[in-house]
Amino acid sequence: QVQLAESGGGLVQAGGSLRLSCAASGRLSQYDIAWFRQAPGREREFVGAIKWTAGDTYVADSAKDRFTISRDSAKNTMDLQMNSLKPEDSAKYYCAAKISGHFFHVKDQDYAYWGLGTQVTVSS
């Protein structure tokens, strides 16, 4: 099993930056850890993911020029660095985990473990 806890959300002006962190516990070497986000009235959206052991990352096209994913294996944390934030980035951000496979999965139903989320609000 994996337990996940997000932190780092808050209010930021458009153009600003935020760094979210996901603290994870469990046998992480077996997992992919992902970030999703969900805005009110919208479906949960894949943001990016990392394969814990290899460190390979994948970021959705909507964010790849602005967002970066990294992990600290010693601290068991995975970070989402968000730059050049836009009002449309406002959402609750979640980290999630699934057993690692060959490919990155972008559908939320494929992820078995979830944190409670952290709110990001970008003002215009």
Side-chain angles (χ1 to χ4, degrees):
Q1 268 196 334
V2 174
Q3 293 184 320
L4 304 165
E6 304 90 341
S7 62
L11 174 64
V12 64
Q13 287 190 331
S17 297
L18 273 178
R19 190 176 185 89
L20 306 184
S21 188
C22 175
S25 63
R27 297 185 65 177
L28 301 179
S29 60
Q30 301 177 348
Y31 289 88
D32 295 346
I33 312 293
W35 285 100
F36 285 82
R37 65 185 181 185
Q38 188 168 24
R42 301 190 65 177
E43 292 185 353
R44 197 172 291 181
E45 176 188 15
F46 175 83
V47 177
I50 189 167
K51 292 191 174 292
W52 192 264
T53 299
D56 296 338
T57 62
Y58 172 66
V59 178
D61 287 345
S62 60
K64 65 180 180 179
D65 294 332
R66 302 181 294 124
F67 293 5
T68 304
I69 289 176
S70 61
R71 59 124 166 73
D72 186 329
S73 298
K75 296 181 180 179
N76 276 5
T77 56
M78 194 229 337
D79 288 352
L80 178 66
Q81 176 67 42
M82 304 187 294
N83 300 325
S84 302
L85 282 162
K86 306 174 182 179
E88 51 264 43
D89 294 318
S90 296
K92 196 163 188 179
Y93 283 70
Y94 299 87
C95 59
K98 66 174 292 296
I99 295 291
S100 188
H102 215 56
F103 304 106
F104 284 106
H105 286 227
V106 302
K107 295 182 179 180
D108 57 354
Q109 57 260 41
D110 293 339
Y111 288 79
Y113 304 101
W114 291 82
L116 296 178
T118 186
Q119 180 67 40
V120 171
T121 303
V122 184
S123 63
S124 57

